[in-house]
Amino acid sequence: MTTTPTRPGGLRLAAGVLTGILALYIALVALGNITDFGTNQQFVRHVLAMDTTFRDDDLMWRAVTSTALQDTAYVLIIGWETVAAAVLVWGTVLWARRRDDVARRWSSYGLLMLLLLFGAGFIAIGGEWFAMWQSKTWNGLDAATRVFLLSGVALIVNLLPTGQDGRPGTPSAS
């Protein structure tokens, strides 16, 4: 009896690679924010203060001008990024170990964390509530949209059903 060595299925490999790319990305973002705290601290302060927007009186009541609150928001963002990075790294390790079901679960948690941060946090709250779209200087909507879309694609790939051989199809019996 001859046995054929098992190779990773394309979908499993794609899910692991996409998870790994986003794990690396958000880990580097968190590390950069920790080691160069002041650069993005200024970004967060300007977005929350709304000091480079059109300064419409109907919107300016939303501005957060307390540096303590601005810095608290920034530290919370960094904490979220750090936890998301750890979750995605763990998901990547699990994909590498071929523990598909648990890898899918952990990867999904991390990817959802990125979707929440970049979609709800930066696009919705930063972009719309704090009118970041109005700023020529402190506008991170393009970057946030790129990460949001890549995270969404990775989540879709992670959640596609796979057969026992790792190829697209019906989920394997567990």
Side-chain angles (χ1 to χ4, degrees), residues 12-130:
R12 176 188 299 121
L13 182 61
V17 168
L18 284 168
T19 301
I21 289 168
L22 285 157
L24 174 63
Y25 170 77
I26 199 64
L28 291 173
V29 168
L31 180 65
N33 284 337
I34 292 166
T35 59
D36 183 19
F37 189 85
T39 298
N40 281 329
Q41 177 189 36
Q42 292 307 309
F43 181 90
V44 171
R45 282 183 173 182
H46 284 288
V47 169
L48 295 180
M50 300 174 66
D51 57 2
T52 60
T53 63
F54 300 163
R55 304 196 54 84
D56 182 338
D57 289 337
D58 293 331
L59 298 179
M60 290 308 293
W61 64 271
R62 300 175 184 175
V64 175
T65 56
S66 163
T67 56
L69 289 176
Q70 294 166 347
D71 291 346
T72 299
Y74 183 45
V75 169
L76 290 171
I77 290 168
I78 294 170
W80 189 269
E81 292 167 344
T82 304
V83 173
V87 170
L88 288 167
V89 166
W90 182 237
T92 304
V93 168
L94 293 168
W95 280 116
R97 291 182 180 171
R98 300 175 53 92
R99 305 223 8 237
D100 293 12
D101 289 339
V102 70
R104 181 174 287 111
R105 187 175 322 119
W106 281 94
S107 296
S108 295
Y109 295 152
L111 294 166
L112 287 169
M113 289 180 75
L114 292 184
L115 289 171
L116 284 168
L117 178 62
F118 288 91
F122 297 145
I123 296 171
I125 295 171
E128 289 302 317
W129 184 256
F130 290 106

Side-chain angles (χ1 to χ4, degrees), residues 118-142:
F118 288 91
F122 297 145
I123 296 171
I125 295 171
E128 289 302 317
W129 184 256
F130 290 106
M132 182 170 58
W133 66 270
Q134 294 179 0
S135 177
K136 292 184 187 324
T137 312
W138 302 102
N139 185 339
L141 287 174
D142 286 343

